[in-house]
Amino acid sequence: MTKTSRFPTFLAAAAAILMASAARAAPPPKKTADLVAKGRASYEQNCAACHGDKGRGDGIAAGALQPKPRNLVTEKFSHGAAPAQVFATIEKGIDGTSMTPFGHLPADERWGLTYYVLDLRGAKSAKK
């Protein structure tokens, strides 16, 4: 294979990286009731076993995990509590923990999860 025959492959790879970066840089979608409902359904399916039904880190799998799952209501988030930071945590997971990446979920579902998790956290201040 010559240098020139590899060049189109390189260009295609570079274009794919640029497009993926641009997609990640897109602003978050508007928070809507439908999006939060999608996030709640996804949370129940993907997150509740570890984080618990109400996000308190007391799911049925929590006892077997080290470190324990984060209490999403009261504990500080490792990578920040801004929507984009929560979204990135959901997408990439957290090294050294049982928080696996959920980047395989569609972006709108991850945004729904983001808003739902932040709503769980907001429930703390609403109860005061």
Side-chain angles (χ1 to χ4, degrees):
M1 186 182 275
T2 66
K3 244 185 190 179
T4 54
S5 64
R6 284 182 285 178
F7 191 68
T9 304
F10 171 77
L11 284 178
I17 290 169
L18 288 173
M19 287 173 33
S21 295
R24 283 192 195 125
K30 181 179 176 191
K31 180 181 175 184
T32 64
D34 287 342
L35 192 56
V36 174
K38 180 180 272 200
R40 180 183 182 143
S42 184
Y43 180 90
E44 290 169 356
Q45 182 177 6
N46 298 298
C47 311
C50 298
H51 292 286
D53 292 339
K54 296 186 179 182
R56 298 198 174 272
D58 59 356
I60 60 171
L65 301 174
Q66 223 24 279
K68 300 292 181 210
R70 184 168 314 283
N71 180 325
L72 300 172
V73 178
T74 62
E75 293 179 16
K76 183 177 178 183
F77 290 168
S78 296
H79 300 287
Q85 293 167 322
V86 174
F87 180 86
T89 299
I90 291 168
E91 180 178 54
K92 297 174 186 170
I94 302 175
D95 289 339
T97 73
S98 297
M99 177 60 195
T100 60
F102 286 88
H104 62 281
L105 297 176
D108 65 327
E109 187 172 341
R110 285 181 276 137
W111 278 113
L113 272 169
T114 296
Y115 291 134
Y116 182 71
V117 165
L118 290 172
D119 281 359
L120 287 173
R121 189 170 192 76
K124 171 182 69 170
S125 57
K127 289 182 181 177
K128 288 185 177 180

